[in-house]
Amino acid sequence: MYPGRFEYHAPGTLDEALSTLDRYGDDAKLLAGGQSLIPLMKLRFAVPAALVDINRIEGLDGLSEEGGELRIGALVRHRTCERSELLHGRWGVLGDAAPQISDPIVRNSGTVAGSLAHADPQGDWGSALLAADARVVAQRSGGRREISLEDFFLGPFTTALEPQEMVTEVRVPDPGPRSAGTYLKLERRVGDYATVGVAVHLSFDNGTVRRSGIALTAVGPRNLRAHAAEAALDGQPLDDDRIREAARLAAEEAQPRDDERGSAEYKRNVVRVFVERGLRKAREG
Ligand SMILES: Cc1cc2nc3c(=O)[nH]c(=O)nc-3n(C[C@H](O)[C@H](O)[C@H](O)COP(=O)(O)OP(=O)(O)OC[C@H]3O[C@@H](n4cnc5c(N)ncnc54)[C@H](O)[C@@H]3O)c2cc1C
């Protein structure tokens, strides 16, 4: 199907983009990589009166570390993350997630910020960045706020973003030098959305876990953080018993449903196995 009629705006500056959003409110949609929005428009699930294409705005494609914090601009593509030297080691959870997103065509165009704004519970960035304690910077004409990812995702395809707001950057705090993590994804075939995904991101201090992040993909109405599993690890040495206990708790916290990709029981079991595997890998890292 063809999309409904819409006005097309291609602002050259951020101010222009924000004032266009202001003007249209609920009737406008930002266009980044178009990998989620265009299919929705073709199916007429989204019929915006205006598209605000942000691809010509300079300065939004930076992926950098500043003062230990990672900054991911609104136009950073999945491909850029996949190839970035920055996203290894202590940000391994992000480096491992990037190449597992769909196929090269989607990764060439799709953006990290667009993925978060789309808020698909099957999205891989949502979990990887939740585990890493990320925040989004939301800007509107004359205002700016930071929202923790935990508060950003409200439900399936729903975020805390106001219609006049744009995600201009994603910020990931410094996890400290002794940090490691990974992203594990089960997919039916290469390029598919996750049947289950698990993100693990740990920081260590003197042989104990200083801070843990565990987040789950495709087993709930949004990307979920496994709080009970994290609490079982924080301040503790990462021994085999604790790893097994955290994996058991994460499986309990998952909210999977039976669907064509597998039964809820099967997915819960995959969560348990992946959390265990992810924690062991983080310990080695
Ligand atoms: C075949 C296929 C397979 C895929 N497989 C996977 C997969 O395995 N894992 C996965 O995680 N994803 C997958 N995706 C989704 C893909 O990652 C998209 O790139 C991503 O979800 C959206 O990013 P985008 O830049 O293309 O956003 P767009 O499609 O341009 O926009 C998506 C939504 O976000 C809004 N938006 C975009 N940018 C901003 C911003 N800066 N501020 C506020 N709102 C914004 C738009 O208005 C729109 O509502 C797949 C997509 C396709 C087509």
Side-chain angles (χ1 to χ4, degrees), residues 28-74:
K29 280 270 174 207
L30 287 172
L31 175 70
Q35 297 301 302
S36 297
L37 181 57
I38 300 298
L40 284 181
M41 288 174 64
K42 284 186 170 175
L43 291 166
R44 306 267 174 127
F45 286 134
V47 192
L51 278 192
V52 183
D53 183 344
I54 58 175
N55 286 281
R56 291 188 200 165
I57 303 175
E58 283 183 20
L60 293 179
D61 60 351
L63 175 64
S64 63
E65 186 185 337
E66 286 176 41
E69 185 179 67
L70 183 71
R71 300 194 173 180
I72 307 172

mmCIF file of all heavy atoms in Angstrom, residues 28-74:
data_model
loop_
_atom_site.group_PDB
_atom_site.id
_atom_site.type_symbol
_atom_site.label_atom_id
_atom_site.label_comp_id
_atom_site.label_asym_id
_atom_site.label_seq_id
_atom_site.Cartn_x
_atom_site.Cartn_y
_atom_site.Cartn_z
ATOM 1 N N ALA A 28 2.508 15.602 13.482
ATOM 2 C CA ALA A 28 3.784 15.420 12.753
ATOM 3 C C ALA A 28 4.544 14.229 13.302
ATOM 4 O O ALA A 28 4.376 13.837 14.454
ATOM 5 C CB ALA A 28 4.638 16.672 12.879
ATOM 6 N N LYS A 29 5.374 13.642 12.442
ATOM 7 C CA LYS A 29 6.277 12.563 12.861
ATOM 8 C C LYS A 29 7.684 12.908 12.399
ATOM 9 O O LYS A 29 7.875 13.357 11.258
ATOM 10 C CB LYS A 29 5.874 11.247 12.197
ATOM 11 C CG LYS A 29 4.708 10.561 12.862
ATOM 12 C CD LYS A 29 5.235 9.635 13.931
ATOM 13 C CE LYS A 29 4.156 8.990 14.760
ATOM 14 N NZ LYS A 29 4.631 8.653 16.100
ATOM 15 N N LEU A 30 8.662 12.650 13.258
ATOM 16 C CA LEU A 30 10.054 12.800 12.844
ATOM 17 C C LEU A 30 10.432 11.604 11.981
ATOM 18 O O LEU A 30 10.004 10.477 12.241
ATOM 19 C CB LEU A 30 10.959 12.829 14.070
ATOM 20 C CG LEU A 30 10.918 14.107 14.916
ATOM 21 C CD1 LEU A 30 11.704 13.904 16.197
ATOM 22 C CD2 LEU A 30 11.481 15.280 14.132
ATOM 23 N N LEU A 31 11.231 11.871 10.974
ATOM 24 C CA LEU A 31 11.738 10.780 10.128
ATOM 25 C C LEU A 31 13.254 10.713 10.315
ATOM 26 O O LEU A 31 13.963 11.674 10.025
ATOM 27 C CB LEU A 31 11.412 11.054 8.657
ATOM 28 C CG LEU A 31 11.981 10.054 7.661
ATOM 29 C CD1 LEU A 31 11.276 8.706 7.772
ATOM 30 C CD2 LEU A 31 11.875 10.581 6.229
ATOM 31 N N ALA A 32 13.740 9.568 10.805
ATOM 32 C CA ALA A 32 15.194 9.373 10.937
ATOM 33 C C ALA A 32 15.604 8.359 9.869
ATOM 34 O O ALA A 32 15.695 8.712 8.687
ATOM 35 C CB ALA A 32 15.533 8.914 12.357
ATOM 36 N N GLY A 33 15.802 7.092 10.244
ATOM 37 C CA GLY A 33 16.187 6.082 9.246
ATOM 38 C C GLY A 33 15.000 5.565 8.440
ATOM 39 O O GLY A 33 15.179 4.942 7.383
ATOM 40 N N GLY A 34 13.795 5.790 8.946
ATOM 41 C CA GLY A 34 12.587 5.374 8.235
ATOM 42 C C GLY A 34 12.320 3.871 8.253
ATOM 43 O O GLY A 34 11.349 3.402 7.663
ATOM 44 N N GLN A 35 13.135 3.113 8.971
ATOM 45 C CA GLN A 35 13.020 1.654 8.915
ATOM 46 C C GLN A 35 11.796 1.120 9.664
ATOM 47 O O GLN A 35 11.340 0.013 9.397
ATOM 48 C CB GLN A 35 14.297 0.994 9.458
ATOM 49 C CG GLN A 35 15.518 1.304 8.641
ATOM 50 C CD GLN A 35 15.344 0.848 7.203
ATOM 51 O OE1 GLN A 35 15.111 -0.329 6.947
ATOM 52 N NE2 GLN A 35 15.417 1.771 6.273
ATOM 53 N N SER A 36 11.298 1.891 10.591
ATOM 54 C CA SER A 36 10.076 1.486 11.287
ATOM 55 C C SER A 36 8.895 2.352 10.856
ATOM 56 O O SER A 36 7.778 1.865 10.682
ATOM 57 C CB SER A 36 10.265 1.598 12.802
ATOM 58 O OG SER A 36 11.268 0.721 13.221
ATOM 59 N N LEU A 37 9.159 3.657 10.678
ATOM 60 C CA LEU A 37 8.057 4.573 10.371
ATOM 61 C C LEU A 37 7.469 4.331 8.974
ATOM 62 O O LEU A 37 6.235 4.294 8.812
ATOM 63 C CB LEU A 37 8.549 6.022 10.487
ATOM 64 C CG LEU A 37 7.511 7.105 10.209
ATOM 65 C CD1 LEU A 37 6.307 6.954 11.142
ATOM 66 C CD2 LEU A 37 8.113 8.496 10.340
ATOM 67 N N ILE A 38 8.326 4.149 7.969
ATOM 68 C CA ILE A 38 7.799 4.012 6.596
ATOM 69 C C ILE A 38 6.919 2.754 6.455
ATOM 70 O O ILE A 38 5.810 2.838 5.904
ATOM 71 C CB ILE A 38 8.950 4.041 5.558
ATOM 72 C CG1 ILE A 38 9.725 5.372 5.653
ATOM 73 C CG2 ILE A 38 8.439 3.812 4.147
ATOM 74 C CD1 ILE A 38 8.926 6.630 5.354
ATOM 75 N N PRO A 39 7.364 1.585 6.981
ATOM 76 C CA PRO A 39 6.447 0.432 6.916
ATOM 77 C C PRO A 39 5.109 0.703 7.602
ATOM 78 O O PRO A 39 4.047 0.316 7.099
ATOM 79 C CB PRO A 39 7.212 -0.681 7.640
ATOM 80 C CG PRO A 39 8.649 -0.287 7.550
ATOM 81 C CD PRO A 39 8.682 1.207 7.521
ATOM 82 N N LEU A 40 5.145 1.415 8.742
ATOM 83 C CA LEU A 40 3.882 1.715 9.448
ATOM 84 C C LEU A 40 2.990 2.616 8.601
ATOM 85 O O LEU A 40 1.763 2.472 8.582
ATOM 86 C CB LEU A 40 4.167 2.423 10.775
ATOM 87 C CG LEU A 40 4.679 1.565 11.927
ATOM 88 C CD1 LEU A 40 4.887 2.426 13.169
ATOM 89 C CD2 LEU A 40 3.690 0.449 12.238
ATOM 90 N N MET A 41 3.622 3.571 7.894
ATOM 91 C CA MET A 41 2.839 4.482 7.046
ATOM 92 C C MET A 41 2.264 3.739 5.843
ATOM 93 O O MET A 41 1.135 4.008 5.417
ATOM 94 C CB MET A 41 3.704 5.663 6.600
ATOM 95 C CG MET A 41 3.995 6.629 7.761
ATOM 96 S SD MET A 41 5.151 7.928 7.321
ATOM 97 C CE MET A 41 4.237 8.825 6.071
ATOM 98 N N LYS A 42 3.042 2.807 5.301
ATOM 99 C CA LYS A 42 2.537 2.048 4.149
ATOM 100 C C LYS A 42 1.348 1.177 4.543
ATOM 101 O O LYS A 42 0.456 0.933 3.740
ATOM 102 C CB LYS A 42 3.651 1.173 3.579
ATOM 103 C CG LYS A 42 4.666 1.962 2.769
ATOM 104 C CD LYS A 42 5.640 1.023 2.129
ATOM 105 C CE LYS A 42 6.520 1.731 1.128
ATOM 106 N NZ LYS A 42 7.549 0.836 0.603
ATOM 107 N N LEU A 43 1.365 0.710 5.781
ATOM 108 C CA LEU A 43 0.231 -0.093 6.256
ATOM 109 C C LEU A 43 -0.914 0.780 6.765
ATOM 110 O O LEU A 43 -1.948 0.283 7.194
ATOM 111 C CB LEU A 43 0.687 -1.021 7.392
ATOM 112 C CG LEU A 43 1.620 -2.148 6.981
ATOM 113 C CD1 LEU A 43 2.276 -2.790 8.210
ATOM 114 C CD2 LEU A 43 0.883 -3.205 6.172
ATOM 115 N N ARG A 44 -0.678 2.093 6.763
ATOM 116 C CA ARG A 44 -1.639 3.090 7.279
ATOM 117 C C ARG A 44 -1.919 2.929 8.776
ATOM 118 O O ARG A 44 -2.969 3.342 9.249
ATOM 119 C CB ARG A 44 -2.957 3.057 6.486
ATOM 120 C CG ARG A 44 -2.773 3.212 4.988
ATOM 121 C CD ARG A 44 -2.889 4.647 4.550
ATOM 122 N NE ARG A 44 -2.571 4.790 3.133
ATOM 123 C CZ ARG A 44 -3.356 5.376 2.245
ATOM 124 N NH1 ARG A 44 -4.501 5.890 2.633
ATOM 125 N NH2 ARG A 44 -2.982 5.477 1.000
ATOM 126 N N PHE A 45 -0.953 2.319 9.490
ATOM 127 C CA PHE A 45 -1.049 2.349 10.953
ATOM 128 C C PHE A 45 -0.641 3.732 11.455
ATOM 129 O O PHE A 45 -1.002 4.140 12.544
ATOM 130 C CB PHE A 45 -0.146 1.290 11.592
ATOM 131 C CG PHE A 45 -0.669 -0.105 11.454
ATOM 132 C CD1 PHE A 45 0.164 -1.147 11.066
ATOM 133 C CD2 PHE A 45 -2.001 -0.396 11.717
ATOM 134 C CE1 PHE A 45 -0.320 -2.440 10.931
ATOM 135 C CE2 PHE A 45 -2.498 -1.689 11.589
ATOM 136 C CZ PHE A 45 -1.653 -2.705 11.196
ATOM 137 N N ALA A 46 0.171 4.426 10.665
ATOM 138 C CA ALA A 46 0.531 5.817 10.978
ATOM 139 C C ALA A 46 0.162 6.660 9.774
ATOM 140 O O ALA A 46 0.529 6.332 8.649
ATOM 141 C CB ALA A 46 2.027 5.929 11.260
ATOM 142 N N VAL A 47 -0.603 7.728 10.028
ATOM 143 C CA VAL A 47 -1.005 8.619 8.927
ATOM 144 C C VAL A 47 -0.716 10.067 9.352
ATOM 145 O O VAL A 47 -1.641 10.860 9.565
ATOM 146 C CB VAL A 47 -2.510 8.433 8.581
ATOM 147 C CG1 VAL A 47 -2.843 9.130 7.266
ATOM 148 C CG2 VAL A 47 -2.903 6.970 8.499
ATOM 149 N N PRO A 48 0.568 10.416 9.480
ATOM 150 C CA PRO A 48 0.883 11.779 9.931
ATOM 151 C C PRO A 48 0.573 12.810 8.850
ATOM 152 O O PRO A 48 0.701 12.519 7.657
ATOM 153 C CB PRO A 48 2.391 11.719 10.204
ATOM 154 C CG PRO A 48 2.895 10.592 9.379
ATOM 155 C CD PRO A 48 1.770 9.607 9.236
ATOM 156 N N ALA A 49 0.167 14.013 9.287
ATOM 157 C CA ALA A 49 -0.089 15.091 8.320
ATOM 158 C C ALA A 49 1.234 15.637 7.787
ATOM 159 O O ALA A 49 1.294 16.176 6.689
ATOM 160 C CB ALA A 49 -0.880 16.203 8.995
ATOM 161 N N ALA A 50 2.309 15.490 8.589
ATOM 162 C CA ALA A 50 3.615 16.030 8.165
ATOM 163 C C ALA A 50 4.737 15.128 8.632
ATOM 164 O O ALA A 50 4.670 14.544 9.716
ATOM 165 C CB ALA A 50 3.806 17.425 8.756
ATOM 166 N N LEU A 51 5.756 15.033 7.773
ATOM 167 C CA LEU A 51 6.985 14.341 8.152
ATOM 168 C C LEU A 51 8.080 15.387 8.308
ATOM 169 O O LEU A 51 8.234 16.257 7.448
ATOM 170 C CB LEU A 51 7.431 13.361 7.065
ATOM 171 C CG LEU A 51 6.779 11.990 7.019
ATOM 172 C CD1 LEU A 51 7.568 11.087 6.066
ATOM 173 C CD2 LEU A 51 6.728 11.354 8.404
ATOM 174 N N VAL A 52 8.842 15.286 9.403
ATOM 175 C CA VAL A 52 9.957 16.194 9.624
ATOM 176 C C VAL A 52 11.234 15.352 9.529
ATOM 177 O O VAL A 52 11.595 14.636 10.464
ATOM 178 C CB VAL A 52 9.838 16.898 10.997
ATOM 179 C CG1 VAL A 52 10.969 17.903 11.173
ATOM 180 C CG2 VAL A 52 8.476 17.558 11.157
ATOM 181 N N ASP A 53 11.855 15.431 8.376
ATOM 182 C CA ASP A 53 13.049 14.628 8.078
ATOM 183 C C ASP A 53 14.270 15.302 8.707
ATOM 184 O O ASP A 53 14.634 16.419 8.319
ATOM 185 C CB ASP A 53 13.198 14.542 6.548
ATOM 186 C CG ASP A 53 14.366 13.684 6.112
ATOM 187 O OD1 ASP A 53 15.234 13.398 6.950
ATOM 188 O OD2 ASP A 53 14.407 13.313 4.921
ATOM 189 N N ILE A 54 14.901 14.608 9.661
ATOM 190 C CA ILE A 54 16.013 15.257 10.388
ATOM 191 C C ILE A 54 17.381 14.932 9.775
ATOM 192 O O ILE A 54 18.414 15.332 10.310
ATOM 193 C CB ILE A 54 16.006 14.871 11.888
ATOM 194 C CG1 ILE A 54 16.115 13.335 12.073
ATOM 195 C CG2 ILE A 54 14.772 15.414 12.579
ATOM 196 C CD1 ILE A 54 16.237 12.913 13.538
ATOM 197 N N ASN A 55 17.387 14.223 8.653
ATOM 198 C CA ASN A 55 18.662 13.734 8.107
ATOM 199 C C ASN A 55 19.596 14.821 7.578
ATOM 200 O O ASN A 55 20.773 14.563 7.368
ATOM 201 C CB ASN A 55 18.399 12.693 7.026
ATOM 202 C CG ASN A 55 17.950 11.377 7.650
ATOM 203 O OD1 ASN A 55 18.769 10.619 8.146
ATOM 204 N ND2 ASN A 55 16.637 11.133 7.673
ATOM 205 N N ARG A 56 19.069 16.034 7.348
ATOM 206 C CA ARG A 56 19.957 17.091 6.841
ATOM 207 C C ARG A 56 20.518 17.970 7.946
ATOM 208 O O ARG A 56 21.238 18.925 7.677
ATOM 209 C CB ARG A 56 19.202 17.963 5.839
ATOM 210 C CG ARG A 56 18.921 17.179 4.594
ATOM 211 C CD ARG A 56 18.346 18.028 3.500
ATOM 212 N NE ARG A 56 17.679 17.136 2.561
ATOM 213 C CZ ARG A 56 16.837 17.517 1.644
ATOM 214 N NH1 ARG A 56 16.544 18.789 1.510
ATOM 215 N NH2 ARG A 56 16.283 16.632 0.846
ATOM 216 N N ILE A 57 20.155 17.668 9.175
ATOM 217 C CA ILE A 57 20.646 18.517 10.277
ATOM 218 C C ILE A 57 22.055 18.052 10.656
ATOM 219 O O ILE A 57 22.274 16.882 10.947
ATOM 220 C CB ILE A 57 19.715 18.413 11.502
ATOM 221 C CG1 ILE A 57 18.280 18.794 11.101
ATOM 222 C CG2 ILE A 57 20.215 19.295 12.637
ATOM 223 C CD1 ILE A 57 17.262 18.611 12.212
ATOM 224 N N GLU A 58 22.975 19.001 10.630
ATOM 225 C CA GLU A 58 24.370 18.643 10.943
ATOM 226 C C GLU A 58 24.569 18.523 12.449
ATOM 227 O O GLU A 58 23.868 19.155 13.235
ATOM 228 C CB GLU A 58 25.312 19.703 10.374
ATOM 229 C CG GLU A 58 25.475 19.518 8.886
ATOM 230 C CD GLU A 58 26.455 20.497 8.285
ATOM 231 O OE1 GLU A 58 27.273 21.065 9.024
ATOM 232 O OE2 GLU A 58 26.358 20.684 7.056
ATOM 233 N N GLY A 59 25.538 17.699 12.811
ATOM 234 C CA GLY A 59 25.946 17.624 14.214
ATOM 235 C C GLY A 59 25.169 16.619 15.046
ATOM 236 O O GLY A 59 25.348 16.554 16.263
ATOM 237 N N LEU A 60 24.294 15.836 14.406
ATOM 238 C CA LEU A 60 23.509 14.869 15.187
ATOM 239 C C LEU A 60 24.058 13.447 15.060
ATOM 240 O O LEU A 60 23.479 12.513 15.603
ATOM 241 C CB LEU A 60 22.037 14.870 14.729
ATOM 242 C CG LEU A 60 21.218 16.136 15.003
ATOM 243 C CD1 LEU A 60 19.801 15.978 14.458
ATOM 244 C CD2 LEU A 60 21.161 16.425 16.507
ATOM 245 N N ASP A 61 25.156 13.306 14.323
ATOM 246 C CA ASP A 61 25.634 11.934 14.062
ATOM 247 C C ASP A 61 26.896 11.574 14.846
ATOM 248 O O ASP A 61 27.621 10.658 14.482
ATOM 249 C CB ASP A 61 25.867 11.723 12.558
ATOM 250 C CG ASP A 61 26.911 12.688 12.016
ATOM 251 O OD1 ASP A 61 27.303 13.611 12.764
ATOM 252 O OD2 ASP A 61 27.328 12.515 10.861
ATOM 253 N N GLY A 62 27.125 12.274 15.959
ATOM 254 C CA GLY A 62 28.332 12.018 16.743
ATOM 255 C C GLY A 62 28.178 10.840 17.688
ATOM 256 O O GLY A 62 27.165 10.701 18.382
ATOM 257 N N LEU A 63 29.197 9.995 17.701
ATOM 258 C CA LEU A 63 29.288 8.901 18.679
ATOM 259 C C LEU A 63 30.623 9.109 19.376
ATOM 260 O O LEU A 63 31.680 8.911 18.773
ATOM 261 C CB LEU A 63 29.258 7.542 17.960
ATOM 262 C CG LEU A 63 29.469 6.306 18.837
ATOM 263 C CD1 LEU A 63 28.343 6.150 19.851
ATOM 264 C CD2 LEU A 63 29.552 5.043 17.982
ATOM 265 N N SER A 64 30.576 9.547 20.629
ATOM 266 C CA SER A 64 31.827 9.945 21.273
ATOM 267 C C SER A 64 31.778 9.687 22.770
ATOM 268 O O SER A 64 30.703 9.470 23.353
ATOM 269 C CB SER A 64 32.074 11.435 21.023
ATOM 270 O OG SER A 64 31.029 12.178 21.627
ATOM 271 N N GLU A 65 32.971 9.741 23.363
ATOM 272 C CA GLU A 65 33.067 9.632 24.815
ATOM 273 C C GLU A 65 33.490 10.992 25.336
ATOM 274 O O GLU A 65 34.448 11.575 24.838
ATOM 275 C CB GLU A 65 34.116 8.577 25.151
ATOM 276 C CG GLU A 65 34.196 8.290 26.620
ATOM 277 C CD GLU A 65 35.322 7.326 26.960
ATOM 278 O OE1 GLU A 65 35.759 6.562 26.082
ATOM 279 O OE2 GLU A 65 35.760 7.369 28.110
ATOM 280 N N GLU A 66 32.725 11.508 26.297
ATOM 281 C CA GLU A 66 33.090 12.813 26.871
ATOM 282 C C GLU A 66 33.088 12.704 28.384
ATOM 283 O O GLU A 66 32.046 12.412 28.980
ATOM 284 C CB GLU A 66 32.110 13.891 26.393
ATOM 285 C CG GLU A 66 32.360 14.268 24.944
ATOM 286 C CD GLU A 66 31.371 15.250 24.390
ATOM 287 O OE1 GLU A 66 30.996 16.206 25.103
ATOM 288 O OE2 GLU A 66 30.969 15.060 23.218
ATOM 289 N N GLY A 67 34.259 12.894 28.973
ATOM 290 C CA GLY A 67 34.376 12.781 30.435
ATOM 291 C C GLY A 67 33.951 11.408 30.930
ATOM 292 O O GLY A 67 33.354 11.304 32.005
ATOM 293 N N GLY A 68 34.214 10.380 30.145
ATOM 294 C CA GLY A 68 33.869 9.010 30.567
ATOM 295 C C GLY A 68 32.470 8.592 30.149
ATOM 296 O O GLY A 68 32.137 7.406 30.152
ATOM 297 N N GLU A 69 31.638 9.569 29.790
ATOM 298 C CA GLU A 69 30.250 9.275 29.400
ATOM 299 C C GLU A 69 30.173 9.057 27.884
ATOM 300 O O GLU A 69 30.838 9.749 27.120
ATOM 301 C CB GLU A 69 29.395 10.471 29.804
ATOM 302 C CG GLU A 69 27.919 10.292 29.582
ATOM 303 C CD GLU A 69 27.135 11.523 30.025
ATOM 304 O OE1 GLU A 69 27.278 12.594 29.388
ATOM 305 O OE2 GLU A 69 26.376 11.418 30.988
ATOM 306 N N LEU A 70 29.341 8.114 27.480
ATOM 307 C CA LEU A 70 29.160 7.863 26.052
ATOM 308 C C LEU A 70 27.991 8.710 25.540
ATOM 309 O O LEU A 70 26.939 8.767 26.188
ATOM 310 C CB LEU A 70 28.858 6.378 25.833
ATOM 311 C CG LEU A 70 28.712 5.919 24.390
ATOM 312 C CD1 LEU A 70 30.062 5.935 23.689
ATOM 313 C CD2 LEU A 70 28.125 4.509 24.335
ATOM 314 N N ARG A 71 28.190 9.349 24.396
ATOM 315 C CA ARG A 71 27.119 10.171 23.812
ATOM 316 C C ARG A 71 26.788 9.667 22.414
ATOM 317 O O ARG A 71 27.676 9.544 21.568
ATOM 318 C CB ARG A 71 27.533 11.629 23.769
ATOM 319 C CG ARG A 71 27.808 12.122 25.178
ATOM 320 C CD ARG A 71 27.891 13.603 25.249
ATOM 321 N NE ARG A 71 27.984 13.983 26.655
ATOM 322 C CZ ARG A 71 28.073 15.220 27.076
ATOM 323 N NH1 ARG A 71 28.056 16.211 26.212
ATOM 324 N NH2 ARG A 71 28.138 15.480 28.359
ATOM 325 N N ILE A 72 25.533 9.400 22.194
ATOM 326 C CA ILE A 72 25.088 8.848 20.909
ATOM 327 C C ILE A 72 24.086 9.835 20.316
ATOM 328 O O ILE A 72 22.975 10.004 20.829
ATOM 329 C CB ILE A 72 24.398 7.468 21.105
ATOM 330 C CG1 ILE A 72 25.301 6.511 21.913
ATOM 331 C CG2 ILE A 72 24.002 6.862 19.767
ATOM 332 C CD1 ILE A 72 24.620 5.202 22.317
ATOM 333 N N GLY A 73 24.475 10.516 19.253
ATOM 334 C CA GLY A 73 23.612 11.528 18.642
ATOM 335 C C GLY A 73 22.396 10.908 17.956
ATOM 336 O O GLY A 73 22.370 9.710 17.645
ATOM 337 N N ALA A 74 21.406 11.749 17.696
ATOM 338 C CA ALA A 74 20.125 11.271 17.156
ATOM 339 C C ALA A 74 20.264 10.603 15.793
ATOM 340 O O ALA A 74 19.403 9.807 15.406
ATOM 341 C CB ALA A 74 19.143 12.433 17.056
#
